[in-house]
Amino acid sequence: MKEEYDAIADLIMRARKVVIFTGAGISTESGIPDFRSPTGIWSKFNPADFTFDKYLVNPEVRRMTWWRYREMKVWEIEPNAAHYALVDLEGMGKLDCIITQNIDGLHQKAGNSEDKVIELHGTVRHVTCLECEKRWPFEEILRWFEKGIEDPHCDECGGLLKAATISFGQAMPAKETMEAEERARNSDLFIVIGSSLVVYPAAYMPVFALESGVPLVIINREATPMDHRATVVVNAGAGDTMSAVMERVK
Ligand code: NAD
């Protein structure tokens, strides 16, 4: 593994605009299960039961969705070594941005600047009204649950509430998606951390970087469909790998 750590460190030292692309795998060491690992969320639930259309019409789907988000307890969860390594990267002036598929807000909690993090799939840090777009911090809606409200609706317009995440079947956020594509194409190093690279359109981001001749690094416990196109692949934990790499860069 030492050779791969050296190679990634070398690429970072020569880069000025590093784009990091993160998936659920960067947060498993903080205690949040991913989707597709053998113990991941989809080993317990069927993704087809959690589409946006079903959320709109089925109170039981909403109840289960709120339950899953409440079980994540993101407000109690702490970032891990991999998140903190990215804070160091920003401190060194090397980080162009983090494009994340994660909804847990752990990059910002670790200390990366809000304007360096592009959330492609939204966030559970907020809840939004699907009618009037009023927003609340998730913790505030938690208090509604504690009062016994199981299917919360907007206190102003009566619209349906939903965590500010992008569910299956919901449109991707246009501004974030366009900005992510532009930054991927204009980067000089693109590093994937903890993503199976099978969820599209998010998984186009490394492809955009490759199309511009940008070297690709993949750090993921399991093989991904893009490994053969990467300059360096590390099949190991994100925390140990990023700590070892940043030790060399410092
Ligand atoms: P995924 O579940 O499809 O893939 C995660 C990958 O990370 C797997 O290939 C796994 O081998 C790898 N992995 C797990 N732990 C790792 C570790 N410690 N170090 C390195 N690699 C590790 O997740 P994805 O590619 O992000 O795509 C699925 C969707 O999951 C995204 O849309 C995202 O919104 C959603 N999701 C997010 C969270 C979160 O916010 N933390 C949690 C679950 C799912």
Side-chain angles (χ1 to χ4, degrees):
M1 216 72 90
K2 270 182 137 196
E3 258 174 45
E4 283 86 355
Y5 296 158
D6 288 342
I8 301 171
D10 188 50
L11 285 166
I12 291 176
M13 284 186 287
R14 284 190 277 127
R16 285 178 303 113
K17 290 185 291 180
V18 183
V19 168
I20 304 283
F21 180 80
T22 63
I26 197 173
S27 296
T28 57
E29 290 167 46
S30 292
I32 305 178
D34 62 11
F35 275 170
R36 288 176 186 78
S37 286
T39 54
I41 292 168
W42 295 149
S43 66
K44 301 185 184 76
F45 299 100
N46 180 353
D49 293 337
F50 290 95
T51 62
F52 184 56
D53 286 353
K54 287 184 179 162
Y55 186 92
L56 293 181
V57 296
N58 188 339
E60 183 56 19
V61 170
R62 295 200 286 275
R63 202 183 61 75
M64 285 300 290
T65 305
W66 285 115
W67 179 81
R68 277 203 300 116
Y69 287 145
R70 287 161 67 195
E71 279 296 291
M72 270 175 89
K73 293 193 170 76
V74 288
W75 50 91
E76 286 176 11
I77 283 181
E78 293 303 324
N80 64 58
H83 296 103
Y84 289 119
L86 303 184
V87 179
D88 290 345
L89 197 64
E90 182 177 339
M92 289 173 185
K94 297 266 182 195
L95 180 70
D96 182 68
C97 71
I98 299 169
I99 302 171
T100 188
Q101 300 170 87
N102 292 344
I103 55 173
D104 55 33
L106 288 181
H107 291 302
Q108 298 91 326
K109 192 167 183 182
N112 281 116
S113 313
E114 291 279 341
D115 64 359
K116 289 277 184 195
V117 183
I118 302 175
E119 293 174 317
L120 283 184
H121 294 163
T123 177
V124 284
R125 292 184 299 158
H126 291 99
V127 169
T128 185
C129 169
L130 294 175
E131 295 292 331
C132 70
E133 296 180 2
K134 182 174 173 182
R135 274 166 85 91
W136 298 258
F138 197 96
E139 287 90 329
E140 207 171 314
I141 302 303
L142 269 184
R143 288 197 279 277
W144 296 19
F145 288 109
E146 282 156 16
K147 285 187 210 148
I149 297 171
E150 288 210 340
D151 186 15
H153 284 65
C154 181
D155 55 5
E156 279 185 19
C157 77
L160 206 53
L161 299 197
K162 184 180 173 297
T165 56
I166 308 296
S167 300
F168 292 110
Q170 213 173 350
M172 292 284 285
K175 182 176 151 282
E176 283 81 356
T177 307
M178 275 168 56
E179 186 180 347
E181 174 174 348
E182 194 185 309
R183 287 181 178 276
R185 289 190 188 281
N186 290 318
S187 63
D188 54 12
L189 178 61
F190 193 98
I191 304 180
V192 173
I193 308 176
S195 175
S196 57
L197 296 180
V198 297
V199 178
Y200 285 87
Y204 283 124
M205 297 303 157
V207 178
F208 295 143
L210 285 166
E211 282 174 359
S212 302
V214 177
L216 173 66
V217 171
I218 298 178
I219 300 165
N220 199 59
R221 270 196 188 141
E222 293 163 308
T224 81
M226 288 187 211
D227 287 0
H228 66 288
R229 302 183 72 181
T231 305
V232 187
V233 176
V234 178
N235 290 134
D240 286 349
T241 305
M242 285 310 293
S243 300
V245 166
M246 292 310 288
E247 270 304 306
R248 287 162 166 76
V249 175
K250 280 179 200 166

